[in-house]
């Protein structure tokens, strides 16, 4: 399970022509009318867009968020593979006690479907067709199949991991899906037996900090979350941001509790993109992009902070070009989205440069008067300016020199 990180380690090229990452969802699964219904079995009578997806909908959604459309040739092959697994599972385990069925299902998966753990095997199509898996894809596959046995189950998510829990007779049992003996971790299990020997395995019980139970809808999109994280790491915001927007919009449809997490993930990606533009000395691009994100999806502390930094850097660029009026216009029209502290900082910087340039202008006006002995005229100008700006060290020094000359 990968976490979308808010740190940019490196970027390798500065584009000369910028096109913002799209703020439209790249995956329309569940967002367009009939996008799910037309691929459903005719006899399924569940709420198509319900909070809890059916087993097959979980697989379909996870495939879509693996960039494997369910109507594609590969997608259809994956669904065929899943359907054969579900058929075999129901045939073998439907008559068992639920707790036995749930445990034996995990062993079954490692016999016929899960062959190699790979941290980056986050696409469900890869898992179904090759047997490579990680915690997300193993948990999604287990979730769909155990629920096909009418066993209540969910995915538990932490910042770095995903696993399952089943609920049998009011008892919650964790399932570490990355290990064939991960049913009810901490329990001693007989794994081999001969005439003289028995071999046991114990998967340590883990207590994952910050774990939270998520809906099947949210679980099915975890493939997309992981892919977005990997795209973020490589700086591919053109793909990662629309993908995360897809997750956000999909979860918002039914006010899924994970909507907030998806929004935080989107904010992180948007901030990372803005940071790259700031580091490329293009803070104006960051400003415009963040304004669009905030307009479409709402503000947040992270967006506000990054926006404020981009505003500051934009003002610095203008002041370095001696464009004080443009800097003032920038502040007037675009500072409202920054926090008050940054607004004050930017305004103070702009005012300070304007004042400094004015001081130098007055100084340059006084110097020829001083050099030609027009001390009274110079004194009048300096006293008038110091009445407006009494803390100016340059003008105070000039006035002292003029008074000394008058006293001689």
């Amino acid at each position: 399970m990968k976490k979308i990180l808010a740190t940019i380690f490196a970027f390798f090229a500065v584009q000369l022509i910028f096109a913002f990452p799209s703020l439209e969802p790249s995956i329309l699964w569940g967002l367009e009318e009939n996008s799910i219904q037309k691929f459903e079995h005719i006899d399924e009578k569940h709420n198509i867009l319900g909070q809890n997806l059916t087993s097959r909908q979980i697989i379909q959604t996870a495939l879509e968020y693996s960039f494997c459309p369910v109507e594609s040739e590969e997608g259809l092959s994956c669904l065929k593979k899943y359907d054969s697994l579900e058929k075999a599972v129901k045939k073998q385990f439907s008559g068992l006690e639920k707790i036995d069925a749930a445990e034996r299902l995990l062993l079954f998966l490692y016999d016929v479907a899960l062959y190699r753990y790979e941290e980056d095997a986050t696409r469900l199509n890869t898992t179904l067709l090759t047997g490579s898996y990680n915690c997300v894809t193993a948990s999604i596959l287990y979730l769909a199949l155990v629920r096909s046995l009418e066993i209540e189950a969910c995915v538990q998510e932490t910042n770095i991991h995903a696993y399952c829990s089943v609920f049998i007779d009011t008892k919650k049992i964790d399932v570490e899906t990355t290990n064939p003996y991960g049913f009810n971790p901490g329990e001693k299990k007989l794994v081999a037996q001969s005439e003289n020997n028995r071999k046991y395995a114990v998967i340590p019980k883990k207590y994952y900090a910050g774990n939270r139970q998520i809906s099947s809808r949210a679980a099915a999109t975890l493939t997309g979350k992981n892919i977005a994280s990997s795209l973020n790491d490589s700086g591919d915001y053109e793909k990662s941001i629309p993908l995360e927007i897809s997750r956000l919009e999909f979860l918002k449809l039914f006010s899924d509790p994970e909507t907030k997490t998806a929004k935080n993930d989107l904010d992180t990606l948007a901030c990372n993109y803005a940071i790259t533009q700031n580091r490329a000395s293009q803070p104006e691009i960051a400003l415009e992009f963040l304004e669009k994100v905030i307009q479409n999806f709402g503000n947040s502390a992270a967006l506000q902070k990054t926006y404020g930094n981009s505003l500051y850097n934009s003002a610095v660029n203008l002041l370095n070009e001696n464009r004080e009026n443009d800097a003032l216009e920038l502040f007037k029209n675009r500072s409202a989205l920054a926090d008050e502290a940054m607004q004050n900082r930017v305004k103070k910087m702009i005012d300070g440069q304007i004042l400094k340039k004015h001081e130098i202008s007055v100084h340059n006006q006084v110097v020829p008067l001083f050099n030609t002995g027009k001390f009274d005229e110079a004194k009048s100008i300096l006293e008038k300016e110091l009445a407006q700006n009494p803390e100016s060290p340059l003008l105070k020094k000039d006035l002292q020199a003029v008074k000394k000359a008058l006293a001689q």
Side-chain angles (χ1 to χ4, degrees):
M1 181 72 190
K2 299 190 69 174
K3 180 183 180 182
I4 296 180
L5 299 176
T7 303
I8 300 297
F9 296 101
F11 57 95
F12 303 100
V14 177
Q15 295 173 292
L16 297 180
I17 300 176
F18 281 91
F20 293 145
S22 171
L23 296 183
E24 295 295 326
S26 57
I27 295 173
L28 299 178
W29 179 254
L31 303 181
E32 289 186 328
E33 186 177 0
N34 294 327
S35 65
I36 289 182
Q37 288 94 322
K38 66 181 179 180
F39 296 108
E40 278 304 305
H41 292 316
I42 295 174
D43 61 344
E44 290 191 347
K45 302 186 184 300
H46 297 79
N47 183 349
I48 297 301
L49 291 177
Q51 193 76 10
N52 288 312
L53 303 179
T54 67
S55 291
R56 202 165 191 266
Q57 288 169 2
I58 291 170
I59 299 301
Q60 290 171 320
T61 303
L63 286 172
E64 289 283 339
Y65 278 89
S66 299
F67 289 131
C68 179
V70 295
E71 71 271 27
S72 68
E73 183 177 350
E74 184 178 14
L76 292 172
S77 295
C78 290
L79 289 175
K80 183 177 179 180
K81 171 70 173 181
Y82 172 76
D83 289 341
S84 68
L85 286 172
E86 184 178 297
K87 182 178 179 180
V89 164
K90 288 180 176 180
K91 182 178 180 180
Q92 291 192 42
F93 307 130
S94 289
L96 299 179
E97 294 291 331
K98 287 186 176 182
I99 192 167
D100 293 330
E103 181 170 9
R104 290 178 62 177
L105 169 61
L106 185 61
L107 293 169
F108 172 81
L109 280 177
Y110 276 88
D111 283 338
V112 302
L114 303 178
Y115 303 132
R116 293 172 304 279
Y117 176 85
E118 296 178 11
E119 184 178 357
D120 292 330
T122 196
R123 297 175 188 255
L124 186 62
N125 49 318
T126 300
T127 299
L128 287 168
L129 298 179
T130 73
S132 297
Y133 66 93
N134 68 3
C135 64
V136 165
T137 52
S139 294
I140 289 172
L141 187 55
Y142 181 85
L143 175 69
L145 289 171
V146 79
R147 288 185 53 179
S148 76
L149 296 172
E150 299 185 1
I151 297 173
E152 184 181 355
C154 73
V155 168
Q156 305 277 358
E157 185 189 10
T158 76
N159 286 335
I160 59 173
H161 190 52
Y163 60 100
C164 285
S165 295
V166 295
F167 302 88
I168 300 171
D169 297 330
T170 71
K171 182 181 180 182
K172 171 178 166 290
I173 302 172
D174 290 337
V175 184
E176 177 51 67
T177 56
T178 58
N179 190 293
Y181 305 108
F183 188 84
N184 197 12
E187 183 180 73
K188 184 178 179 181
K189 294 180 175 63
L190 179 66
V191 297
Q193 183 175 354
S194 64
E195 185 176 345
N196 299 314
N197 293 295
R198 290 184 176 183
K199 185 177 180 181
Y200 294 90
V202 178
I203 305 305
K205 186 174 179 63
K206 297 181 180 180
Y207 297 92
Y208 297 106
N211 68 296
R212 59 191 183 277
Q213 178 177 322
I214 63 176
S215 71
S216 59
R217 174 183 292 274
T221 66
L222 288 181
T223 52
K225 180 175 182 175
N226 267 13
I227 293 170
S229 176
S230 295
L231 293 169
N232 170 73
D233 292 344
S234 63
D236 191 346
Y237 302 106
E238 285 71 23
K239 291 182 180 178
S240 64
I241 289 174
L243 175 55
E244 196 56 47
I245 289 171
S246 301
R247 287 188 67 239
L248 175 61
E249 294 300 325
F250 186 72
L251 295 172
K252 278 170 61 177
L253 282 175
F254 277 75
S255 303
D256 193 287
E258 283 301 293
T259 300
K260 182 178 180 181
T261 302
K263 174 61 165 63
N264 290 341
D265 290 341
L266 173 61
D267 291 350
T268 298
L269 291 172
C271 288
N272 284 354
Y273 174 77
I275 289 169
T276 64
Q277 302 314 314
N278 277 281
R279 291 182 176 180
S281 300
Q282 307 232 32
E284 299 84 0
I285 291 175
L287 270 184
E288 187 173 347
F289 176 72
L290 290 174
E291 286 168 351
K292 293 180 182 298
V293 171
I294 293 169
Q295 179 183 5
N296 282 277
F297 304 104
N299 209 344
S300 69
L303 291 173
Q304 187 178 52
K305 179 180 179 180
T306 307
Y307 184 89
N309 291 336
S310 302
L311 177 71
Y312 181 89
N313 292 337
S314 296
V316 167
N317 283 355
L318 292 172
L319 294 177
N320 286 341
E321 297 171 1
N322 295 313
R323 295 167 59 189
E324 289 80 14
N325 288 337
D326 288 339
L328 278 174
E329 193 70 13
L330 171 77
F331 180 81
K332 176 182 176 181
N333 295 329
R334 306 180 78 173
S335 64
L337 294 177
D339 63 37
E340 185 177 356
M342 182 57 76
Q343 289 184 36
N344 293 337
R345 182 182 176 191
V346 172
K347 186 64 164 62
K348 182 177 180 180
M349 176 180 66
I350 296 171
D351 290 345
Q353 175 148 322
I354 292 173
L355 187 59
K356 184 68 176 178
K357 291 188 72 172
H358 182 68
E359 288 174 344
I360 293 172
S361 175
V362 172
H363 171 80
N364 291 339
Q365 181 184 358
V366 167
V367 167
L369 296 175
F370 183 90
N371 291 338
T372 57
K374 298 179 180 179
F375 303 124
D376 287 329
E377 187 176 347
K379 179 173 178 289
S380 176
I381 291 172
L382 289 168
E383 287 178 339
K384 180 180 178 181
E385 291 296 332
L386 283 167
Q388 300 296 322
N389 183 21
E391 301 303 320
S392 170
L394 178 60
L395 299 185
K396 287 166 72 174
K397 183 178 179 180
D398 287 349
L399 183 60
Q400 288 176 353
V402 169
K403 287 181 176 180
K404 183 176 180 181
L406 285 170
Q408 293 179 350

